Amino acid sequence: MSGSSKAINFLAVSSSSSSHLCSTKMALAISDELLATFVPIVVYWIYSAFYMSFGSFDNYRLHSKKDEEEKNLVSKANVIKNVLFQQTIQSTLAIVLYRVIGNEGGGASKSQPNSITVMAGQFIIAMFVLDTWQYFMHRYFNHKKFLYRRFHSHHHKLVVPYAFGAIYNHPLEAFVFDIIGGALSYSISGMSPRTSMYFFSFATIKSVDDHCGVWLPGNLFHIFFNNNSAYHDVHHYLYGGKYNFSQPFFVMWDRIMGTYMPYSLEKRAEGGFEARPIKRAK
């Protein structure tokens, strides 16, 4: 083989290697968006499975197993089908939205993670935005008879909520609450796709926890958040159309808007706990 042929072959191999490297870099460039889309879904089912393992522990339940079986208006099989359908729609739209919004993480490149301080600030902003959006949408869907009857009543078929039913919703409601709310919190906070993976995984865990139907001793969410499984149980089980609309993090909007229903946690004679409102609805 002549020297020129060797040179040509070398250049060809180098070009091929460069193309492969570019392709790899492109794949890596979209990996954060894909992780932010699918990691929260995996987290949803793992954390739900953890809580469902406590299903037979009557000493920790907010409702008896009998109540769950008799009062809920939808089967667990249908709940699973609905949730998987929601997650399919949400993941498809999320990929599109990440492309459209395309945050660079507050000025940092996508390959360079933000500092802990910046991420913490973005978390706080995103939490406030998501709480604000979901409070007013949640309240509106409860108060408007047509919206409640046609859409939000699907979620309240789970009179006694449980972990993997956290996002059991009508698809349109899921779009309004979760897709739009998530897009707003992501874009306004300026977080990067990598940071959003942590944020939406955290929000997913919090939502599952709020619907778990279990009061587990030492649960950090119960220690640091007044908005917890017992607080949300009051909304589901007792005064769904009038009180405790705040979700998923704080209770500030309920307090500001006069829809806050405090409760006391009492032990049931047959085991477990009961969230009893301190004041009665008018």
Side-chain angles (χ1 to χ4, degrees), residues 162-200:
Y162 47 77
F164 66 81
I167 62 169
Y168 173 75
N169 293 310
H170 187 282
L172 179 63
E173 178 180 337
F175 176 79
V176 172
F177 282 41
D178 300 326
I179 299 298
I180 297 179
L184 288 172
S185 60
Y186 171 71
S187 59
I188 293 174
S189 67
M191 61 176 57
S192 67
R194 174 64 62 88
T195 302
S196 75
M197 177 188 70
Y198 301 127
F199 174 73
F200 290 124

Side-chain angles (χ1 to χ4, degrees), residues 145-270:
K145 291 182 179 179
F146 171 76
L147 292 177
Y148 182 85
R149 185 171 59 251
R150 185 67 182 85
F151 303 110
H152 192 55
S153 63
H154 285 247
H155 185 66
H156 280 273
K157 287 180 180 179
L158 291 178
V159 179
V160 178
Y162 47 77
F164 66 81
I167 62 169
Y168 173 75
N169 293 310
H170 187 282
L172 179 63
E173 178 180 337
F175 176 79
V176 172
F177 282 41
D178 300 326
I179 299 298
I180 297 179
L184 288 172
S185 60
Y186 171 71
S187 59
I188 293 174
S189 67
M191 61 176 57
S192 67
R194 174 64 62 88
T195 302
S196 75
M197 177 188 70
Y198 301 127
F199 174 73
F200 290 124
S201 293
F202 176 64
T204 295
I205 292 172
K206 182 65 171 62
S207 182
V208 170
D209 205 90
D210 290 347
H211 290 84
C212 69
V214 175
W215 188 267
L216 195 63
N219 187 328
L220 293 178
F221 285 121
H222 298 165
I223 296 172
F224 292 105
F225 292 92
N226 290 327
N227 194 336
N228 49 47
S229 57
Y231 184 84
H232 197 64
D233 184 70
V234 172
H235 172 78
H236 263 262
Y237 192 68
L238 295 169
Y239 303 119
K242 296 181 179 180
Y243 295 98
N244 293 10
F245 301 111
S246 291
Q247 58 183 38
F249 300 112
F250 308 114
V251 300
M252 61 179 182
W253 285 116
D254 275 320
R255 290 183 181 275
I256 293 170
M257 302 301 294
T259 55
Y260 176 73
M261 173 67 78
Y263 64 91
S264 63
L265 200 63
E266 309 290 342
K267 285 191 174 182
R268 288 187 279 113
E270 64 273 24

Side-chain angles (χ1 to χ4, degrees), residues 125-165:
I125 293 171
M127 291 166 77
F128 174 78
V129 171
L130 189 60
D131 260 29
T132 301
W133 176 260
Q134 294 219 353
Y135 172 83
F136 287 101
M137 289 297 101
H138 192 195
R139 183 176 178 177
Y140 191 66
F141 270 67
N142 272 276
H143 283 181
K144 294 298 180 180
K145 291 182 179 179
F146 171 76
L147 292 177
Y148 182 85
R149 185 171 59 251
R150 185 67 182 85
F151 303 110
H152 192 55
S153 63
H154 285 247
H155 185 66
H156 280 273
K157 287 180 180 179
L158 291 178
V159 179
V160 178
Y162 47 77
F164 66 81

